[in-house]
Amino acid sequence: MHQNFERATGCHDGFIRCRSFAWEMKIENLQKQKQELQIFLDMYGQNCFEKRDVIEIKESERRAQVQAKILKSALDEHSLELRVKAANEAEAACQQRLSVAEAEIVDLRAKLDASERLALYMYLLSTSMCIWRLLLHHFISRLYGICEIR
């Protein structure tokens, strides 16, 4: 604004500059006074409300701590619930694998029993065939022996 007045021409140029400068100085003084009053008001307000503000801050801090404890407790409980759920799922999976393994053991035992019965049958069959061969051989030997005597 001051620069606009310097560019002005005419006989009142110097007078206008003086008036303009005076107004600028008054405005600047008023702005300084406003700042000082604002600082004073802030200090006064701070002193008046400082005790109440401290109490409010402490109460707010206490409420925040209580809320933090509640949230931590809820988080711990949720975490515990998740761990229990995971443990239950793992137990169910293990029980299922155990059931499958037990069924497989029953099946393998049945196959083993069948194999043992088959082996015993084969053994008995082979020994009975040996006995029959021996008996047959003995019978034939006696038959030939009898035949040779005659």
Side-chain angles (χ1 to χ4, degrees), residues 51-66:
K51 289 181 182 178
R52 187 174 65 175
D53 289 344
V54 168
I55 292 170
E56 287 177 5
I57 289 170
K58 286 183 179 180
E59 180 61 24
S60 175
E61 182 181 346
R62 187 194 63 77
R63 285 192 308 261
Q65 287 175 348
V66 167

Side-chain angles (χ1 to χ4, degrees), residues 70-97:
I70 291 169
L71 291 174
K72 183 177 181 340
S73 176
L75 180 63
D76 290 345
E77 184 177 327
H78 181 69
S79 176
L80 180 62
E81 287 173 359
L82 289 178
R83 290 194 314 238
V84 167
K85 182 180 176 185
N88 288 340
E89 290 172 357
E91 181 184 14
C94 288
Q95 286 293 337
Q96 186 178 7
R97 286 196 303 264

Side-chain angles (χ1 to χ4, degrees), residues 14 25 122:
M25 291 302 292
M122 296 298 281

